[in-house]
Amino acid sequence: MKTLKDIAVGTTVTVRKVSGGREVRKKLERMGIMAGSDLTVLETGADGTQTVSGLRGQLRLDAQESAFIGVGEHFVRRDEPVLLGGCCAYGDTTEMLRRMEAVYAEKEKKTESSGNQQKG
């Protein structure tokens, strides 16, 4: 499987798989990079750093992060359902990402408040 680091500037691809450790996968997921999402490579630096356009706008990925993102030919969605990370969506993942961000924000608040209570 090709990885994002193998993709030429100006090419749009669909993410097929995100590998790497749990923290890497979670970081990329928070950036909106998950199986089923589309990325367009806008620029590739001499050091392998890539600027890509995705659901969250322009993102900068280092060469190691790009190597963890398995990609395939751009999948053009119409009205057929697309399987994304265990849920079914109809091509628009914006609402799913908004809900996911809300869950992460709530978890962070709980973690911060429990940390403050332990200090006190």
Side-chain angles (χ1 to χ4, degrees):
M1 176 182 297
K2 285 188 178 182
T3 62
L4 188 62
K5 71 180 180 78
D6 302 320
I7 303 303
V9 173
T11 306
T12 300
V13 292
T14 299
V15 176
R16 300 287 183 229
K17 180 180 180 178
V18 178
S19 58
R22 184 175 183 217
E23 292 302 315
V24 172
R25 289 191 315 268
K26 285 176 70 174
K27 177 184 177 185
L28 293 173
E29 188 176 285
R30 287 182 187 139
M31 296 169 74
I33 299 172
M34 63 192 79
S37 60
D38 296 331
L39 298 173
T40 302
V41 178
L42 302 176
E43 179 182 4
T44 300
D47 61 354
T49 303
Q50 289 182 305
T51 303
V52 298
S53 176
L55 287 171
R56 308 263 171 109
Q58 288 189 11
L59 306 168
R60 196 145 187 85
L61 302 169
D62 64 34
Q64 190 175 20
E65 291 169 330
S66 294
F68 288 129
I69 303 168
V71 298
E73 185 179 338
H74 181 228
F75 180 75
V76 179
R77 294 169 186 87
R78 290 188 177 72
D79 290 332
E80 64 274 6
V82 178
L83 187 65
L84 295 171
C87 72
C88 190
Y90 286 87
D92 182 11
T93 59
T94 307
E95 183 59 31
M96 179 185 68
L97 290 173
R98 281 191 197 122
R99 290 179 186 176
M100 184 177 70
E101 285 175 339
V103 168
Y104 282 129
E106 187 62 32
K107 283 183 181 180
E108 286 178 21
K109 285 180 189 177
K110 287 179 182 178
T111 302
E112 287 174 7
S113 65
S114 67
N116 290 336
Q117 289 175 359
Q118 289 177 359
K119 289 180 184 178

